[in-house]
Amino acid sequence: MNYIGIDLGTSSVKGLLMSSTLEVICTYSQDYPNNVDNRGWSDQNPEDWYNKSLIVLKELINKSTDQVAAISFSGQMHGMVTLDEQDNVIRPAILWNDQRTVAECDYLNNQLGTKFMIENTGNIALTGYTAPKVLWMKNNEPELFSKVSKVMLPKDYLAYKLSGVFATDYSDASGTLYLDVKNKRWSTPMLEVLGLDESNVPKLYNSFDKVGMLVTEIKQYLGIDYDIDIVIGGGDQAVGSVGTGTVQSGDVNISLGTSGVVFAATDDYKEDERGTLHSFCDATGKFHKMGVALNSGGSMNWWTSNVLHSKEFDTMEAEMNQLDPNEKLYFLPYLIGERSPINDSDIRGSFLGLSLHHSDAHLTRAIVEGVSFSIRQIYDGMMLSGDPQFKITGGGANNKLWVQIIADVLNKPINLINASEGPAFGAAILACASHTNTDVSNLATNAVQIVDTVYPSVNSSLYQDKYEKWLQIYPVLKDIEL
C-alpha cells in the first residue's frame, strides 16, 4: 500500500506519494494566485485549492504502482472559509497573513480582555487568527455573514470536498481562537462572541483520525475503483513537526521558510500567561508551544529580489564569511509587522548603524543576524526546561552560514536531518499511521534521522552581547509614528 500527503500552502499545493516503508516515491505541486493589496489584505479562492489539488492527486495516483490506502493533509493555518447552506463559497478565504483585523483584535484583547481570551482559548487575539476574521466579517459584511452556515479552515475545505465530512483536527483548530485548547473542545463563550454556534463549526478529531472515504465522484475522476481513507491531518506546523521527527517532549524545530517558526513539542498543555506565544494541540495527540516571526526567509527574499535584483544570497556567502561578526550593524525583520513575541502589526523593518564602509554583503549578513535574533527571542520566551534538542528545516537550513549563526546566537548545537519535505511528508505519515493503526510518534522517529550537527563557534559569546543590544532597539522605535 502507498499513502498520499497533501500540503495546502499559501502559494501552492504539494502532494507526496509515500510507500509503506516510509520512503518518498515522488512529489508534485501546482501553484495558485494569492491576492494581496497595499492595505495588508490577503485572500484566495478556495476553488483554486480544490481544482489544483485534484490535478496533484491524479498525477500521484498515476505514478503509484500500488493502491493508495489513505490521504491526509497539512494546511496553511488560520484562514477563514465560509459556506452557505448550499455549500457555496460565500467570499474569498481570508488568509493567515491578512492584517485587516487590527480593530477586532483590539476589541478581543482590550475590551473582552486578555484574561478572558487566555482562560477560554489559551491564547490572545492576533491578526492572523480565524476568530478576528469572523468578527470582521460580522462587523463589515453583515449581509454575507447572515448567509454563513459553515466556517472552516483551508485544509478542512479540501477534506470536505473529498469526503463530504465536515471535520477538523485539534492542531489546526487551536489557531482559530475559538477552541478551548487545554480541554480540547470548542469554546462556547467565544462562539457566542462571534455570533456562531457548534452547528457552524466542524466536528473535532485527532490529526491521525480517519473521518471518511474518498467520494465516488472523485474516484471516477481519478480512474480508480477502490476505496481510499480520508484522514483529517492538521495545521502545517504541527504536521511539519511529524515530517521532521519533532515529536518527543524536548524536541525543538526551527523552520526557516518565508516565516520563521520555533516549534517545541510538549507532553502537557503549557499556558503562556502573557499570550505572546501560541499554546496549541499537536498532531500526535499531545501539545506544543510555537512562536512565529513573520519575515525570516521573507526578509532575505525582499532583499535579494527587490533591492539587489540579481545577486543571490548563496553567491555572497564566501564574502560574508570574511566579514567581522562584531560589526555594529543591526536589522529588525519587521517588514509587515511582527507576531511573536511582540504582537505588533504596525512596526516596520529597519537597519541601524549604517556607515559609509558598509557593502551589500554587510547588510545581507545583518539580515541573517536579525532573523536569527528574532528566533532566539521566541525561544527565550518559551522558558523550556531541560536541555532541548534543536533541528532546523526550511530553505534557510540549506545555507551553512545561516545555520552557524543560529547555532552561535542560541549557543546550542543544531541538528540537520534527512527529511526535506516537511508538512507533505508528515501528512503521508499521518495517513499511514491511521490506516495501519500505528503510533504517529514511532513512525516519525523511524522516518527521520540526523545527518549532521552544527555546533556553536568561538563567535557565540560575541553574539550573546550583540543579541542583548538588538533587544533594546524595538522598545525605542515602537512609539515613533512614521
Side-chain angles (χ1 to χ4, degrees):
M1 289 289 188
N2 291 332
Y3 303 91
I4 288 177
I6 297 293
D7 177 29
L8 188 69
T10 309
S11 58
S12 66
V13 58
K14 180 178 184 179
L16 180 146
L17 182 67
M18 184 187 79
S19 71
S20 58
T21 57
L22 310 182
E23 296 175 352
V24 177
I25 299 171
C26 66
T27 63
Y28 189 68
S29 63
Q30 287 280 296
D31 296 339
Y32 34 70
N34 179 16
N35 305 310
V36 181
D37 64 25
N38 59 11
R39 296 171 295 178
W41 292 21
S42 176
D43 59 47
Q44 285 178 330
N45 180 2
E47 286 296 323
D48 289 341
W49 303 335
Y50 174 61
N51 293 330
K52 297 294 186 176
S53 295
L54 288 183
I55 295 172
V56 168
L57 278 173
K58 191 159 193 173
E59 178 71 14
L60 297 181
I61 292 289
N62 289 340
K63 292 285 180 65
S64 182
T65 57
D66 200 352
Q67 289 189 359
V68 172
I71 299 169
S72 191
F73 310 90
S74 160
Q76 51 167 299
M77 297 181 70
H78 315 312
M80 182 187 72
V81 183
T82 51
L83 306 185
D84 64 18
E85 290 183 352
Q86 288 73 45
D87 285 343
N88 298 309
V89 175
I90 296 173
R91 66 162 343 276
I94 304 177
L95 301 191
W96 63 274
N97 55 352
D98 188 282
Q99 298 294 315
R100 77 185 69 186
T101 60
V102 173
E104 285 71 27
C105 288
D106 179 71
Y107 167 75
L108 294 170
N109 289 331
N110 297 322
Q111 295 192 43
L112 289 182
T114 56
K115 182 180 179 181
F116 173 89
M117 299 306 301
I118 292 174
E119 285 180 350
N120 286 284
T121 72
N123 298 278
I124 65 170
L126 302 174
T127 54
Y129 287 164
T130 317
K133 298 176 175 65
V134 175
L135 201 55
W136 181 91
M137 186 180 182
K138 180 183 177 184
N139 293 339
N140 294 276
E141 299 175 340
E143 185 176 346
L144 292 179
F145 187 77
S146 68
K147 299 178 182 179
V148 171
S149 175
K150 296 180 179 71
V151 181
M152 60 181 70
L153 296 158
K155 69 109 174 48
D156 300 328
Y157 174 76
L158 187 55
Y160 184 56
K161 295 283 284 186
L162 296 183
S163 69
V165 179
F166 187 32
T168 192
D169 78 294
Y170 296 112
S171 74
D172 214 0
S174 296
T176 62
L177 202 64
Y178 42 89
L179 182 79
D180 176 349
V181 175
K182 180 179 180 179
N183 297 299
K184 293 188 174 183
R185 63 191 181 200
W186 294 119
S187 169
T188 300
M190 273 302 296
L191 290 177
E192 289 176 352
V193 167
L194 301 176
L196 302 175
D197 59 45
E198 291 206 18
S199 69
N200 303 126
V201 293
K203 185 177 178 181
L204 291 158
Y205 293 88
N206 286 305
S207 300
F208 47 83
D209 283 343
K210 171 185 171 181
V211 297
M213 308 290 289
L214 189 66
V215 297
T216 301
E217 175 187 351
I218 298 177
K219 287 169 59 176
Q220 292 173 345
Y221 166 80
L222 297 174
I224 59 174
D225 58 4
Y226 58 87
D227 290 332
I228 297 179
D229 295 347
I230 299 297
V231 178
I232 193 59
D236 52 4
Q237 296 303 324
V239 178
S241 76
V242 173
T244 61
T246 312
V247 291
Q248 305 295 339
S249 184
D251 289 349
V252 180
N253 186 66
I254 298 167
S255 175
L256 281 180
T258 300
S259 59
V261 179
V262 183
F263 181 105
T266 61
D267 287 339
D268 304 310
Y269 174 76
K270 297 183 183 299
E271 184 176 285
D272 180 4
E273 294 180 357
R274 299 164 300 167
T276 57
L277 300 172
H278 312 321
S279 298
F280 286 175
C281 304
D282 79 350
T284 69
K286 298 179 182 179
F287 296 90
H288 69 265
K289 292 192 74 65
M290 185 174 74
V292 180
L294 292 180
N295 269 275
S296 292
S299 293
M300 190 58 65
N301 290 338
W302 160 78
W303 176 243
T304 56
S305 299
N306 292 19
V307 181
L308 300 182
H309 296 297
S310 60
K311 208 166 186 179
E312 292 293 332
F313 173 58
D314 290 343
T315 66
M316 290 182 284
E317 184 172 356
E319 187 177 353
M320 286 189 292
N321 269 319
Q322 302 303 313
L323 300 177
D324 182 0
N326 199 28
E327 192 71 40
K328 307 302 182 184
L329 180 62
Y330 298 87
F331 174 72
L332 296 185
Y334 305 150
L335 301 181
I336 57 169
E338 186 57 293
R339 184 182 296 184
S340 305
I342 64 175
N343 187 25
D344 188 340
S345 60
D346 294 324
I347 193 69
R348 289 296 179 267
S350 62
F351 286 100
L352 183 68
L354 286 168
S355 298
L356 285 174
H357 76 280
H358 285 140
S359 66
D360 54 2
H362 284 99
L363 272 69
T364 306
R365 182 163 182 140
I367 291 173
V368 171
E369 292 175 354
V371 170
S372 301
F373 292 147
S374 71
I375 296 296
R376 166 73 184 271
Q377 189 180 23
I378 292 171
Y379 167 67
D380 283 352
M382 290 180 169
M383 296 181 290
L384 301 175
S385 59
D387 188 19
Q389 303 298 302
F390 287 86
K391 299 172 184 174
I392 191 164
T393 56
N398 297 320
N399 188 277
K400 293 180 180 179
L401 176 62
W402 204 332
V403 177
Q404 183 63 66
I405 289 176
I406 289 177
D408 289 340
V409 168
L410 287 170
N411 196 26
K412 298 284 186 181
I414 305 293
N415 295 313
L416 303 173
I417 58 176
N418 65 339
S420 60
E421 303 297 346
F425 187 42
I429 291 174
L430 289 172
C432 179
S434 176
H435 184 256
T436 61
N437 196 28
T438 306
D439 180 73
V440 174
S441 296
N442 288 342
L443 279 181
T445 301
N446 291 333
V448 180
Q449 287 83 43
I450 295 171
V451 296
D452 196 9
T453 301
V454 177
Y455 294 92
S457 74
V458 294
N459 293 327
S460 184
S461 59
L462 180 154
Y463 275 120
Q464 307 317 302
D465 180 66
K466 198 167 185 179
Y467 170 64
E468 293 300 326
K469 289 184 173 65
W470 181 87
L471 287 174
Q472 298 174 40
I473 302 172
Y474 166 73
V476 174
L477 297 184
K478 69 183 181 69
D479 293 326
I480 299 175
E481 292 188 16
L482 300 178

mmCIF file of all heavy atoms in Angstrom, residues 41-77:
data_model
loop_
_atom_site.group_PDB
_atom_site.id
_atom_site.type_symbol
_atom_site.label_atom_id
_atom_site.label_comp_id
_atom_site.label_asym_id
_atom_site.label_seq_id
_atom_site.Cartn_x
_atom_site.Cartn_y
_atom_site.Cartn_z
ATOM 1 N N TRP A 41 -4.348 43.337 3.047
ATOM 2 C CA TRP A 41 -5.360 42.297 2.902
ATOM 3 C C TRP A 41 -4.802 41.170 2.036
ATOM 4 O O TRP A 41 -4.081 41.412 1.063
ATOM 5 C CB TRP A 41 -6.625 42.856 2.270
ATOM 6 C CG TRP A 41 -7.376 43.833 3.123
ATOM 7 C CD1 TRP A 41 -6.888 44.562 4.178
ATOM 8 C CD2 TRP A 41 -8.753 44.193 2.988
ATOM 9 N NE1 TRP A 41 -7.861 45.348 4.711
ATOM 10 C CE2 TRP A 41 -9.028 45.149 4.009
ATOM 11 C CE3 TRP A 41 -9.767 43.821 2.125
ATOM 12 C CZ2 TRP A 41 -10.286 45.719 4.159
ATOM 13 C CZ3 TRP A 41 -11.024 44.395 2.281
ATOM 14 C CH2 TRP A 41 -11.283 45.330 3.292
ATOM 15 N N SER A 42 -5.154 39.943 2.384
ATOM 16 C CA SER A 42 -4.641 38.774 1.669
ATOM 17 C C SER A 42 -5.735 37.713 1.609
ATOM 18 O O SER A 42 -6.249 37.284 2.653
ATOM 19 C CB SER A 42 -3.399 38.225 2.394
ATOM 20 O OG SER A 42 -2.927 37.051 1.784
ATOM 21 N N ASP A 43 -6.113 37.306 0.394
ATOM 22 C CA ASP A 43 -7.154 36.284 0.275
ATOM 23 C C ASP A 43 -6.923 35.390 -0.933
ATOM 24 O O ASP A 43 -6.110 35.686 -1.808
ATOM 25 C CB ASP A 43 -8.550 36.923 0.233
ATOM 26 C CG ASP A 43 -8.739 37.906 -0.917
ATOM 27 O OD1 ASP A 43 -8.371 37.572 -2.054
ATOM 28 O OD2 ASP A 43 -9.257 39.009 -0.677
ATOM 29 N N GLN A 44 -7.643 34.281 -0.954
ATOM 30 C CA GLN A 44 -7.560 33.308 -2.043
ATOM 31 C C GLN A 44 -8.936 32.710 -2.298
ATOM 32 O O GLN A 44 -9.823 32.742 -1.438
ATOM 33 C CB GLN A 44 -6.568 32.187 -1.711
ATOM 34 C CG GLN A 44 -5.112 32.592 -1.823
ATOM 35 C CD GLN A 44 -4.158 31.477 -1.454
ATOM 36 O OE1 GLN A 44 -4.470 30.621 -0.642
ATOM 37 N NE2 GLN A 44 -2.961 31.505 -2.025
ATOM 38 N N ASN A 45 -9.087 32.147 -3.494
ATOM 39 C CA ASN A 45 -10.317 31.466 -3.877
ATOM 40 C C ASN A 45 -10.196 29.984 -3.504
ATOM 41 O O ASN A 45 -9.357 29.272 -4.066
ATOM 42 C CB ASN A 45 -10.542 31.613 -5.385
ATOM 43 C CG ASN A 45 -11.807 30.916 -5.849
ATOM 44 O OD1 ASN A 45 -12.555 30.345 -5.059
ATOM 45 N ND2 ASN A 45 -12.034 30.942 -7.150
ATOM 46 N N PRO A 46 -10.997 29.476 -2.563
ATOM 47 C CA PRO A 46 -10.906 28.068 -2.176
ATOM 48 C C PRO A 46 -11.084 27.097 -3.334
ATOM 49 O O PRO A 46 -10.540 25.980 -3.301
ATOM 50 C CB PRO A 46 -12.034 27.914 -1.148
ATOM 51 C CG PRO A 46 -12.191 29.275 -0.563
ATOM 52 C CD PRO A 46 -11.960 30.213 -1.713
ATOM 53 N N GLU A 47 -11.825 27.503 -4.373
ATOM 54 C CA GLU A 47 -11.982 26.618 -5.524
ATOM 55 C C GLU A 47 -10.639 26.373 -6.227
ATOM 56 O O GLU A 47 -10.424 25.312 -6.811
ATOM 57 C CB GLU A 47 -12.995 27.210 -6.506
ATOM 58 C CG GLU A 47 -14.438 27.116 -6.037
ATOM 59 C CD GLU A 47 -14.922 25.679 -5.912
ATOM 60 O OE1 GLU A 47 -14.536 24.843 -6.758
ATOM 61 O OE2 GLU A 47 -15.647 25.378 -4.952
ATOM 62 N N ASP A 48 -9.748 27.370 -6.174
ATOM 63 C CA ASP A 48 -8.414 27.170 -6.739
ATOM 64 C C ASP A 48 -7.679 26.051 -6.002
ATOM 65 O O ASP A 48 -7.001 25.224 -6.621
ATOM 66 C CB ASP A 48 -7.593 28.457 -6.661
ATOM 67 C CG ASP A 48 -8.077 29.529 -7.621
ATOM 68 O OD1 ASP A 48 -8.797 29.188 -8.582
ATOM 69 O OD2 ASP A 48 -7.738 30.709 -7.410
ATOM 70 N N TRP A 49 -7.804 26.035 -4.670
ATOM 71 C CA TRP A 49 -7.164 24.961 -3.897
ATOM 72 C C TRP A 49 -7.682 23.595 -4.347
ATOM 73 O O TRP A 49 -6.897 22.673 -4.560
ATOM 74 C CB TRP A 49 -7.482 25.102 -2.407
ATOM 75 C CG TRP A 49 -7.116 26.390 -1.761
ATOM 76 C CD1 TRP A 49 -6.148 27.277 -2.150
ATOM 77 C CD2 TRP A 49 -7.711 26.945 -0.588
ATOM 78 N NE1 TRP A 49 -6.114 28.341 -1.286
ATOM 79 C CE2 TRP A 49 -7.051 28.170 -0.321
ATOM 80 C CE3 TRP A 49 -8.729 26.525 0.276
ATOM 81 C CZ2 TRP A 49 -7.390 28.967 0.779
ATOM 82 C CZ3 TRP A 49 -9.061 27.316 1.359
ATOM 83 C CH2 TRP A 49 -8.394 28.530 1.597
ATOM 84 N N TYR A 50 -8.998 23.512 -4.463
ATOM 85 C CA TYR A 50 -9.629 22.227 -4.801
ATOM 86 C C TYR A 50 -9.243 21.768 -6.205
ATOM 87 O O TYR A 50 -8.820 20.620 -6.403
ATOM 88 C CB TYR A 50 -11.140 22.370 -4.672
ATOM 89 C CG TYR A 50 -11.930 21.162 -5.118
ATOM 90 C CD1 TYR A 50 -11.773 19.932 -4.495
ATOM 91 C CD2 TYR A 50 -12.841 21.253 -6.173
ATOM 92 C CE1 TYR A 50 -12.500 18.824 -4.900
ATOM 93 C CE2 TYR A 50 -13.581 20.159 -6.581
ATOM 94 C CZ TYR A 50 -13.401 18.946 -5.943
ATOM 95 O OH TYR A 50 -14.118 17.856 -6.351
ATOM 96 N N ASN A 51 -9.357 22.657 -7.172
ATOM 97 C CA ASN A 51 -9.057 22.277 -8.556
ATOM 98 C C ASN A 51 -7.604 21.875 -8.734
ATOM 99 O O ASN A 51 -7.292 20.887 -9.424
ATOM 100 C CB ASN A 51 -9.407 23.430 -9.502
ATOM 101 C CG ASN A 51 -10.903 23.700 -9.562
ATOM 102 O OD1 ASN A 51 -11.710 22.786 -9.384
ATOM 103 N ND2 ASN A 51 -11.282 24.944 -9.798
ATOM 104 N N LYS A 52 -6.698 22.619 -8.123
ATOM 105 C CA LYS A 52 -5.279 22.279 -8.243
ATOM 106 C C LYS A 52 -4.949 21.000 -7.478
ATOM 107 O O LYS A 52 -4.094 20.216 -7.907
ATOM 108 C CB LYS A 52 -4.415 23.435 -7.732
ATOM 109 C CG LYS A 52 -4.564 24.722 -8.525
ATOM 110 C CD LYS A 52 -4.049 24.565 -9.949
ATOM 111 C CE LYS A 52 -4.065 25.911 -10.678
ATOM 112 N NZ LYS A 52 -3.491 25.835 -12.034
ATOM 113 N N SER A 53 -5.632 20.773 -6.361
ATOM 114 C CA SER A 53 -5.401 19.547 -5.593
ATOM 115 C C SER A 53 -5.827 18.312 -6.373
ATOM 116 O O SER A 53 -5.182 17.259 -6.291
ATOM 117 C CB SER A 53 -6.138 19.607 -4.256
ATOM 118 O OG SER A 53 -5.622 20.622 -3.438
ATOM 119 N N LEU A 54 -6.914 18.431 -7.133
ATOM 120 C CA LEU A 54 -7.343 17.304 -7.962
ATOM 121 C C LEU A 54 -6.287 16.961 -9.010
ATOM 122 O O LEU A 54 -6.021 15.782 -9.283
ATOM 123 C CB LEU A 54 -8.666 17.631 -8.640
ATOM 124 C CG LEU A 54 -9.914 17.662 -7.759
ATOM 125 C CD1 LEU A 54 -11.153 17.925 -8.610
ATOM 126 C CD2 LEU A 54 -10.079 16.354 -6.988
ATOM 127 N N ILE A 55 -5.667 17.983 -9.588
ATOM 128 C CA ILE A 55 -4.595 17.745 -10.570
ATOM 129 C C ILE A 55 -3.431 17.018 -9.910
ATOM 130 O O ILE A 55 -2.866 16.060 -10.458
ATOM 131 C CB ILE A 55 -4.134 19.079 -11.185
ATOM 132 C CG1 ILE A 55 -5.266 19.705 -11.998
ATOM 133 C CG2 ILE A 55 -2.893 18.875 -12.055
ATOM 134 C CD1 ILE A 55 -4.975 21.117 -12.484
ATOM 135 N N VAL A 56 -3.069 17.473 -8.706
ATOM 136 C CA VAL A 56 -1.970 16.837 -7.968
ATOM 137 C C VAL A 56 -2.311 15.397 -7.626
ATOM 138 O O VAL A 56 -1.485 14.486 -7.812
ATOM 139 C CB VAL A 56 -1.652 17.647 -6.687
ATOM 140 C CG1 VAL A 56 -0.732 16.865 -5.762
ATOM 141 C CG2 VAL A 56 -1.034 18.984 -7.048
ATOM 142 N N LEU A 57 -3.524 15.165 -7.130
ATOM 143 C CA LEU A 57 -3.928 13.800 -6.776
ATOM 144 C C LEU A 57 -3.886 12.865 -7.983
ATOM 145 O O LEU A 57 -3.418 11.721 -7.885
ATOM 146 C CB LEU A 57 -5.340 13.813 -6.182
ATOM 147 C CG LEU A 57 -5.471 14.166 -4.704
ATOM 148 C CD1 LEU A 57 -6.936 14.290 -4.323
ATOM 149 C CD2 LEU A 57 -4.784 13.118 -3.842
ATOM 150 N N LYS A 58 -4.364 13.338 -9.120
ATOM 151 C CA LYS A 58 -4.378 12.490 -10.306
ATOM 152 C C LYS A 58 -2.959 12.123 -10.727
ATOM 153 O O LYS A 58 -2.680 10.975 -11.100
ATOM 154 C CB LYS A 58 -5.112 13.195 -11.453
ATOM 155 C CG LYS A 58 -5.392 12.271 -12.642
ATOM 156 C CD LYS A 58 -6.516 12.802 -13.504
ATOM 157 C CE LYS A 58 -6.983 11.738 -14.484
ATOM 158 N NZ LYS A 58 -8.179 12.167 -15.235
ATOM 159 N N GLU A 59 -2.044 13.082 -10.652
ATOM 160 C CA GLU A 59 -0.655 12.822 -11.004
ATOM 161 C C GLU A 59 -0.049 11.763 -10.075
ATOM 162 O O GLU A 59 0.638 10.843 -10.532
ATOM 163 C CB GLU A 59 0.156 14.119 -10.918
ATOM 164 C CG GLU A 59 1.630 13.968 -11.221
ATOM 165 C CD GLU A 59 1.933 13.708 -12.684
ATOM 166 O OE1 GLU A 59 1.026 13.899 -13.531
ATOM 167 O OE2 GLU A 59 3.074 13.308 -12.984
ATOM 168 N N LEU A 60 -0.300 11.878 -8.784
ATOM 169 C CA LEU A 60 0.264 10.921 -7.831
ATOM 170 C C LEU A 60 -0.364 9.542 -7.982
ATOM 171 O O LEU A 60 0.336 8.517 -7.889
ATOM 172 C CB LEU A 60 0.073 11.432 -6.401
ATOM 173 C CG LEU A 60 0.792 12.739 -6.037
ATOM 174 C CD1 LEU A 60 0.535 13.100 -4.588
ATOM 175 C CD2 LEU A 60 2.285 12.630 -6.299
ATOM 176 N N ILE A 61 -1.666 9.502 -8.189
ATOM 177 C CA ILE A 61 -2.337 8.208 -8.399
ATOM 178 C C ILE A 61 -1.770 7.511 -9.634
ATOM 179 O O ILE A 61 -1.519 6.295 -9.633
ATOM 180 C CB ILE A 61 -3.860 8.401 -8.538
ATOM 181 C CG1 ILE A 61 -4.481 8.851 -7.212
ATOM 182 C CG2 ILE A 61 -4.531 7.129 -9.056
ATOM 183 C CD1 ILE A 61 -4.528 7.794 -6.144
ATOM 184 N N ASN A 62 -1.531 8.281 -10.689
ATOM 185 C CA ASN A 62 -0.984 7.701 -11.917
ATOM 186 C C ASN A 62 0.444 7.193 -11.720
ATOM 187 O O ASN A 62 0.877 6.264 -12.414
ATOM 188 C CB ASN A 62 -1.011 8.736 -13.046
ATOM 189 C CG ASN A 62 -2.420 9.023 -13.535
ATOM 190 O OD1 ASN A 62 -3.329 8.229 -13.325
ATOM 191 N ND2 ASN A 62 -2.622 10.165 -14.181
ATOM 192 N N LYS A 63 1.189 7.811 -10.791
ATOM 193 C CA LYS A 63 2.571 7.402 -10.538
ATOM 194 C C LYS A 63 2.660 6.222 -9.569
ATOM 195 O O LYS A 63 3.722 5.602 -9.435
ATOM 196 C CB LYS A 63 3.367 8.579 -9.967
ATOM 197 C CG LYS A 63 3.607 9.723 -10.947
ATOM 198 C CD LYS A 63 4.675 9.369 -11.952
ATOM 199 C CE LYS A 63 4.928 10.500 -12.933
ATOM 200 N NZ LYS A 63 5.476 11.704 -12.305
ATOM 201 N N SER A 64 1.568 5.932 -8.885
ATOM 202 C CA SER A 64 1.592 4.877 -7.873
ATOM 203 C C SER A 64 1.428 3.504 -8.508
ATOM 204 O O SER A 64 0.456 3.256 -9.231
ATOM 205 C CB SER A 64 0.471 5.112 -6.843
ATOM 206 O OG SER A 64 0.514 4.135 -5.836
ATOM 207 N N THR A 65 2.370 2.628 -8.248
ATOM 208 C CA THR A 65 2.308 1.258 -8.788
ATOM 209 C C THR A 65 1.521 0.328 -7.871
ATOM 210 O O THR A 65 1.345 -0.843 -8.182
ATOM 211 C CB THR A 65 3.724 0.700 -8.996
ATOM 212 O OG1 THR A 65 4.435 0.743 -7.758
ATOM 213 C CG2 THR A 65 4.475 1.523 -10.041
ATOM 214 N N ASP A 66 1.072 0.858 -6.738
ATOM 215 C CA ASP A 66 0.254 0.094 -5.799
ATOM 216 C C ASP A 66 -0.964 0.932 -5.444
ATOM 217 O O ASP A 66 -1.015 2.129 -5.729
ATOM 218 C CB ASP A 66 1.069 -0.234 -4.537
ATOM 219 C CG ASP A 66 0.482 -1.392 -3.748
ATOM 220 O OD1 ASP A 66 -0.627 -1.848 -4.088
ATOM 221 O OD2 ASP A 66 1.130 -1.827 -2.773
ATOM 222 N N GLN A 67 -1.942 0.317 -4.829
ATOM 223 C CA GLN A 67 -3.116 1.066 -4.412
ATOM 224 C C GLN A 67 -2.750 2.072 -3.315
ATOM 225 O O GLN A 67 -1.873 1.819 -2.492
ATOM 226 C CB GLN A 67 -4.212 0.131 -3.891
ATOM 227 C CG GLN A 67 -4.877 -0.695 -4.970
ATOM 228 C CD GLN A 67 -6.099 -1.435 -4.471
ATOM 229 O OE1 GLN A 67 -6.456 -1.362 -3.293
ATOM 230 N NE2 GLN A 67 -6.747 -2.162 -5.354
ATOM 231 N N VAL A 68 -3.431 3.205 -3.344
ATOM 232 C CA VAL A 68 -3.269 4.206 -2.295
ATOM 233 C C VAL A 68 -4.299 3.922 -1.208
ATOM 234 O O VAL A 68 -5.503 3.885 -1.477
ATOM 235 C CB VAL A 68 -3.444 5.628 -2.857
ATOM 236 C CG1 VAL A 68 -3.478 6.654 -1.725
ATOM 237 C CG2 VAL A 68 -2.327 5.957 -3.838
ATOM 238 N N ALA A 69 -3.813 3.726 0.022
ATOM 239 C CA ALA A 69 -4.704 3.327 1.106
ATOM 240 C C ALA A 69 -5.370 4.513 1.779
ATOM 241 O O ALA A 69 -6.513 4.413 2.231
ATOM 242 C CB ALA A 69 -3.928 2.520 2.149
ATOM 243 N N ALA A 70 -4.635 5.644 1.879
ATOM 244 C CA ALA A 70 -5.173 6.771 2.638
ATOM 245 C C ALA A 70 -4.543 8.072 2.168
ATOM 246 O O ALA A 70 -3.404 8.091 1.695
ATOM 247 C CB ALA A 70 -4.940 6.578 4.136
ATOM 248 N N ILE A 71 -5.295 9.146 2.331
ATOM 249 C CA ILE A 71 -4.839 10.509 2.033
ATOM 250 C C ILE A 71 -5.009 11.340 3.296
ATOM 251 O O ILE A 71 -6.047 11.262 3.965
ATOM 252 C CB ILE A 71 -5.671 11.146 0.898
ATOM 253 C CG1 ILE A 71 -5.542 10.338 -0.400
ATOM 254 C CG2 ILE A 71 -5.257 12.590 0.660
ATOM 255 C CD1 ILE A 71 -6.542 10.757 -1.469
ATOM 256 N N SER A 72 -3.989 12.129 3.635
ATOM 257 C CA SER A 72 -4.121 13.061 4.744
ATOM 258 C C SER A 72 -3.577 14.426 4.335
ATOM 259 O O SER A 72 -3.027 14.576 3.242
ATOM 260 C CB SER A 72 -3.414 12.549 6.000
ATOM 261 O OG SER A 72 -3.765 13.336 7.129
ATOM 262 N N PHE A 73 -3.701 15.399 5.230
ATOM 263 C CA PHE A 73 -3.498 16.791 4.837
ATOM 264 C C PHE A 73 -2.665 17.573 5.847
ATOM 265 O O PHE A 73 -2.681 17.318 7.050
ATOM 266 C CB PHE A 73 -4.859 17.510 4.706
ATOM 267 C CG PHE A 73 -5.843 16.774 3.868
ATOM 268 C CD1 PHE A 73 -6.715 15.855 4.438
ATOM 269 C CD2 PHE A 73 -5.888 16.968 2.499
ATOM 270 C CE1 PHE A 73 -7.625 15.155 3.661
ATOM 271 C CE2 PHE A 73 -6.790 16.265 1.712
ATOM 272 C CZ PHE A 73 -7.660 15.356 2.295
ATOM 273 N N SER A 74 -1.949 18.531 5.316
ATOM 274 C CA SER A 74 -1.366 19.622 6.068
ATOM 275 C C SER A 74 -1.891 20.892 5.431
ATOM 276 O O SER A 74 -2.051 20.951 4.212
ATOM 277 C CB SER A 74 0.162 19.574 5.976
ATOM 278 O OG SER A 74 0.724 20.820 6.293
ATOM 279 N N GLY A 75 -2.158 21.916 6.235
ATOM 280 C CA GLY A 75 -2.735 23.118 5.633
ATOM 281 C C GLY A 75 -2.249 24.403 6.267
ATOM 282 O O GLY A 75 -1.950 24.451 7.466
ATOM 283 N N GLN A 76 -2.165 25.447 5.440
ATOM 284 C CA GLN A 76 -1.942 26.790 5.959
ATOM 285 C C GLN A 76 -2.987 27.056 7.031
ATOM 286 O O GLN A 76 -4.174 26.799 6.834
ATOM 287 C CB GLN A 76 -2.032 27.827 4.845
ATOM 288 C CG GLN A 76 -3.279 27.730 3.975
ATOM 289 C CD GLN A 76 -3.494 28.940 3.096
ATOM 290 O OE1 GLN A 76 -3.656 30.039 3.587
ATOM 291 N NE2 GLN A 76 -3.514 28.725 1.783
ATOM 292 N N MET A 77 -2.544 27.571 8.162
ATOM 293 C CA MET A 77 -3.445 27.710 9.305
ATOM 294 C C MET A 77 -4.214 29.041 9.281
ATOM 295 O O MET A 77 -3.865 29.956 8.541
ATOM 296 C CB MET A 77 -2.649 27.596 10.606
ATOM 297 C CG MET A 77 -1.994 26.238 10.797
ATOM 298 S SD MET A 77 -1.084 26.089 12.349
ATOM 299 C CE MET A 77 -2.428 26.082 13.537
#
